[in-house]
Amino acid sequence: MKYSLLLAALLSASSLMAVDTVQAQDSQEQQPAQSITVECATNECPPPPPALEDEPVLTHNKDVLISVTGQGVAPMNTTSPAQAYALAKRAAVADAYRMIAEKVKGVRVDGEDLIKNMMVKRSTVRTSVQAMVKNANVVETTFKDGLCEVEMEIVLSHSQFAR
Amino acid sequence: MRSRDGNRPFTFSICTLILLTSLTLHAKEYFISYRYVVKDATLYNETLYVSSAMQKCSGVPQEAIVLENSKKSNSLKEILLKNIDHFLSHVNKLALDVKHTEKTKNLHNSSTTILTLKTTCFKVDFNDNFVTIAPFK
């Protein structure tokens, strides 16, 4: 009887310690994710990584040329090839503007995953960009197999940003 | 009493003044805004708003473009819609507002891009077979 009581006490003590250890491990594993969320929520995100060697940097005496290629397709219910071309070109120009805005200003990305019973039920990624683009030039337009491609360029100078 | 020869410069200056005044009065100012929506890489909707300015616009007219007006129409909107490609190539050089949203749900992607020319005042000169428009800055 004595031994059985002692055994039971030992088992309960060891199980409590094991639970504490697992909780400690869990909290250690969760720490990095929590720290990232908290840091960015208070606008104290780490500084951006330094520019790569090939990446153009905007300086006082050096302009940066940004070149993008936007793509667009014509709607299904067009009355003529000319109309299809015109509409596809407009869509391609909008795509090119979007790409310029993304390159210059950056993209906001929001992600959301719904996991239920250890299975991904829904995965959603939303990206958005809003910008005012000025002095963009259409360099070349090609239309082939219903796809219109517009090459667009914009020159950024330091004086446009430093005010 | 003045002689006929003496009156010639006076008459010329009066005529010039009348001509210039009429030309100035003939130039009108319009507010133009343009917006188009592209959904999933396809043009979805396009809106062009044209309104005559009730007050004089401030600023200096910038680079002008000449649009054809073979039907001698007085409606600027009609002329712009007829020469929309030429007008848009000029508008592209002005400031355009870009709004883009993209959603990927369970690996299905959909995107919407809205390009907007904010309401801008244009100086418009109607001539016989063409119209000259220049944005104010």
Side-chain angles (χ1 to χ4, degrees), chain A residues 71-75 86-87 90-91 93-94 97-98 101-102 121-138 152, chain B residues 34 36 38 40-43 46 84-85 88-89 91-107 113 115-116 118 137:
Chain A
Q71 294 180 324
V73 290
L87 298 180
R90 230 161 282 175
V93 166
Y97 265 101
R98 189 261 305 170
E102 283 184 355
K121 287 278 177 188
R122 190 179 65 223
S123 172
T124 315
V125 181
R126 286 189 185 87
T127 60
S128 63
V129 62
Q130 184 173 2
M132 180 79 92
V133 181
K134 206 173 175 183
N135 293 330
N137 289 314
V138 175
M152 200 175 248
Chain B
Y34 179 72
Y36 69 94
V38 174
D40 300 329
T42 310
L43 190 73
E46 187 179 27
I84 193 76
D85 283 335
L88 283 184
S89 64
V91 158
N92 284 342
K93 288 171 193 166
L94 305 173
L96 281 182
D97 189 60
V98 187
K99 260 186 208 169
H100 174 81
T101 51
E102 199 166 332
K103 189 177 174 185
T104 309
K105 191 176 176 182
N106 297 335
L107 305 174
T113 310
L115 238 69
T116 315
K118 294 274 168 86
K137 192 179 180 184

Side-chain angles (χ1 to χ4, degrees), chain A residues 137-142 149-152:
Chain A
N137 289 314
V138 175
V139 181
E140 198 181 347
T141 310
T142 50
E149 288 191 328
V150 167
E151 194 185 339
M152 200 175 248

Side-chain angles (χ1 to χ4, degrees), chain B residues 24-105:
Chain B
T24 315
L25 288 173
H26 196 64
K28 290 179 180 176
E29 286 165 359
Y30 284 87
F31 283 110
I32 299 173
S33 71
Y34 179 72
R35 176 184 187 269
Y36 69 94
V37 182
V38 174
K39 262 192 177 181
D40 300 329
T42 310
L43 190 73
Y44 182 73
N45 184 26
E46 187 179 27
T47 323
L48 176 74
Y49 289 113
V50 179
S51 169
S52 182
M54 290 188 172
Q55 285 187 332
K56 202 161 174 62
C57 296
S58 59
V60 183
Q62 299 297 302
E63 191 188 343
I65 53 163
V66 180
L67 301 176
E68 202 180 311
N69 182 20
S70 52
K71 284 190 175 179
K72 295 184 181 179
S73 168
N74 283 325
S75 164
L76 181 63
K77 191 171 181 177
E78 202 176 292
I79 297 161
L80 288 175
L81 286 173
K82 272 216 156 193
N83 302 277
I84 193 76
D85 283 335
H86 189 26
F87 175 66
L88 283 184
S89 64
H90 181 69
V91 158
N92 284 342
K93 288 171 193 166
L94 305 173
L96 281 182
D97 189 60
V98 187
K99 260 186 208 169
H100 174 81
T101 51
E102 199 166 332
K103 189 177 174 185
T104 309
K105 191 176 176 182

Side-chain angles (χ1 to χ4, degrees), chain A residues 3-153:
Chain A
Y3 289 117
S4 63
L5 281 171
L6 190 66
L7 189 66
L10 276 171
L11 277 170
S12 60
S14 63
S15 66
L16 278 171
M17 280 177 70
V19 167
D20 285 347
T21 319
V22 168
Q23 279 177 351
Q25 278 177 355
D26 285 351
S27 62
Q28 277 174 4
E29 281 170 10
Q30 285 170 358
Q31 235 173 5
Q34 281 176 349
S35 66
I36 288 169
T37 317
V38 170
E39 275 179 21
C40 288
T42 54
N43 291 329
E44 289 173 11
C45 292
L52 300 171
E53 282 182 17
D54 300 338
E55 202 174 27
V57 180
L58 198 64
T59 53
H60 280 284
N61 48 7
K62 194 182 169 190
D63 294 345
V64 171
L65 176 82
I66 290 178
S67 181
V68 294
T69 306
Q71 294 180 324
V73 290
M76 297 294 279
N77 52 351
T78 50
T79 51
S80 66
Q83 191 194 24
Y85 170 74
L87 298 180
K89 189 184 173 185
R90 230 161 282 175
V93 166
D95 191 41
Y97 265 101
R98 189 261 305 170
M99 289 172 98
I100 287 174
E102 283 184 355
K103 277 196 172 186
V104 176
K105 206 180 172 190
V107 191
R108 184 197 163 102
V109 183
D110 294 315
E112 187 186 306
D113 283 353
L114 175 69
I115 296 163
K116 207 172 180 181
N117 297 331
M118 305 293 280
M119 282 189 296
V120 178
K121 287 278 177 188
R122 190 179 65 223
S123 172
T124 315
V125 181
R126 286 189 185 87
T127 60
S128 63
V129 62
Q130 184 173 2
M132 180 79 92
V133 181
K134 206 173 175 183
N135 293 330
N137 289 314
V138 175
V139 181
E140 198 181 347
T141 310
T142 50
F143 186 67
K144 199 178 176 186
D145 301 332
L147 176 75
C148 185
E149 288 191 328
V150 167
E151 194 185 339
M152 200 175 248
E153 278 183 357

